[in-house]
Amino acid sequence: MLEIVAKLALVAAAFAVLPLLVGQAEHKVMAHMQGRLGPMYAGRFHGWAQLVADGVKFAQKEDVVPRDADRRVFKLAPAVALVPYLLVLIVIPVGPDGQVALELDLGLFFALAVMGVGVIGAIMAGWASANKYSLLGGMRVAAQLMSYELPMVFAASSVAMAAGTLSLSGIAEEWRWWWLPWQAVGAVVFFVAGLAELRRPPFDMPVADSEIIFGPYTEYGGLRFALFILAEYAGIVVLCLLTTVLFLGGWNGPFLDTELGWLWTLLKTAALAFVVIWLRVSYPRMREDQLQKLAWAWLVPLSLAQLALTGIVRVAL
């Protein structure tokens, strides 16, 4: 019982800290890449207090519920967007020999299914706000979920087929270095599809501030809006962890896999989180038709090709 409580406490601590670290890193990386001076001055030393200032700002804003909104759904949506990522963290291993809160034989299936529930929070927000801009943003979220869930599942199925298991720990244990070129296409498809499901730039059409204000979150303010932002950063952490475990070997490193496995997992996750921020800075927002074309004309065929290649290699071996 003590072991279970300790593991759950560590997962809760990681869920509270890692998304905030990603948010702070995004402030600093964007400040350096785009010459933004503001985030570098809060608190003087390298803008260490920027995240604290953001939290104070959100806490001071008024929490308003539109008169015609569906109040229950409107208030529930931020929790639906955030909590699923906590559940996914429970089944992601960070190291060998049981360094996971809950070992599931169907861990990959569970993770992908629960991540899809998180997206529903944004759809609920758009529907319940009684705002046409919010409704349009919610419809775009639903369209992206339908388009990008398919290649994401196909890419994950490829690596599960290669490992012969749906257990996330089992996939990391079966991983070999030569999987890097073999599963490279699947890794790119999985990562890009995950970014699209999180509505991260350049796939942030549902929250396009130049067209539909802020999409499903237009009517939200204060801490409820902050929960949606926190859910986005939590989604980045979960996506990077899953990509690390599935395609980058998880805790497997050049040396001391058993002793420093958790460190290799965190380092790979941090590198992928940097790539997520880099993409936001580097690429402009896609149009809605371009976004859909990327999914159906490119990612779905590529993921199916990766799945077919994995089947051929498995039969040959």
Side-chain angles (χ1 to χ4, degrees):
M1 180 62 69
L2 289 176
E3 181 182 357
I4 294 174
V5 172
K7 287 183 175 181
L8 292 178
L10 288 174
V11 170
F15 185 73
V17 173
L18 292 180
L20 297 180
L21 291 179
V22 173
Q24 181 76 346
E26 184 168 60
H27 279 111
K28 304 310 168 189
V29 172
M30 292 181 65
H32 282 294
M33 287 186 172
Q34 296 183 332
R36 298 186 179 191
L37 299 180
M40 306 304 293
Y41 280 90
R44 294 189 178 180
F45 178 70
H46 209 263
W48 67 269
Q50 180 62 51
L51 201 64
V52 177
D54 287 341
V56 173
K57 176 186 69 175
F58 286 125
Q60 289 179 335
K61 288 187 175 181
E62 185 179 3
D63 181 18
V64 177
V65 179
R67 181 189 60 190
D68 297 329
D70 187 327
R71 300 182 68 88
R72 287 187 177 180
V73 178
F74 185 87
K75 293 181 178 180
L76 185 62
V80 174
L82 180 62
V83 173
Y85 296 115
L86 173 60
L87 299 179
V88 176
L89 281 181
I90 294 176
V91 300
I92 298 180
V94 295
D97 302 325
Q99 294 184 36
V100 58
L102 178 63
E103 179 62 54
L104 288 180
D105 293 336
L106 299 177
L108 177 58
F109 177 81
F110 176 85
L112 294 178
V114 175
M115 282 182 68
V117 174
V119 180
I120 295 177
I123 300 175
M124 292 170 59
W127 176 262
S129 294
N131 180 303
K132 293 182 179 179
Y133 292 106
S134 299
L135 179 59
L136 180 58
M139 293 173 64
R140 287 181 172 182
V141 171
Q144 281 189 216
L145 174 64
M146 294 176 61
S147 299
Y148 283 89
E149 187 74 13
L150 191 61
M152 192 175 185
V153 170
F154 283 157
S157 300
S158 171
V159 73
M161 181 189 298
T165 178
L166 286 173
S167 167
L168 292 174
S169 297
I171 292 173
E173 290 173 358
E174 293 293 329
W175 186 88
R176 300 294 181 268
W177 68 266
W178 53 273
W179 284 23
L180 287 174
W182 175 28
Q183 297 291 334
V185 173
V188 173
V189 170
F190 184 87
F191 193 67
V192 171
L195 288 180
E197 282 203 10
L198 294 176
R199 285 91 62 200
R200 288 287 302 180
F203 308 107
D204 57 338
M205 286 301 298
V207 295
D209 53 350
S210 60
E211 304 167 25
I212 52 176
I213 319 303
F214 215 76
Y217 319 133
T218 301
E219 298 293 348
Y220 283 86
L223 291 177
R224 295 187 197 277
F225 181 80
L227 288 178
F228 280 114
I229 302 300
L230 183 61
E232 179 180 325
Y233 290 128
I236 293 173
V237 172
V238 168
L239 173 64
C240 294
L241 277 171
L242 280 177
T243 306
T244 295
V245 171
L246 295 177
F247 298 98
L248 300 181
W251 59 78
N252 293 286
F255 55 86
L256 298 178
D257 294 355
T258 304
E259 295 81 2
L260 297 178
W262 60 271
L263 180 59
W264 295 123
T265 301
L266 292 180
L267 287 176
K268 295 173 185 178
T269 301
L272 290 174
F274 174 78
V275 173
V276 173
I277 300 170
W278 190 1
L279 290 174
R280 173 176 182 174
V281 176
S282 303
Y283 290 95
R285 180 183 300 124
M286 302 176 70
R287 297 197 314 264
E288 189 67 24
D289 60 311
Q290 293 173 330
L291 185 142
Q292 295 296 332
K293 183 177 180 180
L294 175 65
W296 296 104
W298 291 98
L299 295 188
V300 170
L302 285 174
S303 61
L304 288 173
Q306 178 69 73
L307 199 60
L309 175 62
T310 301
I312 294 172
V313 173
R314 286 288 294 176
V315 171
L317 294 178

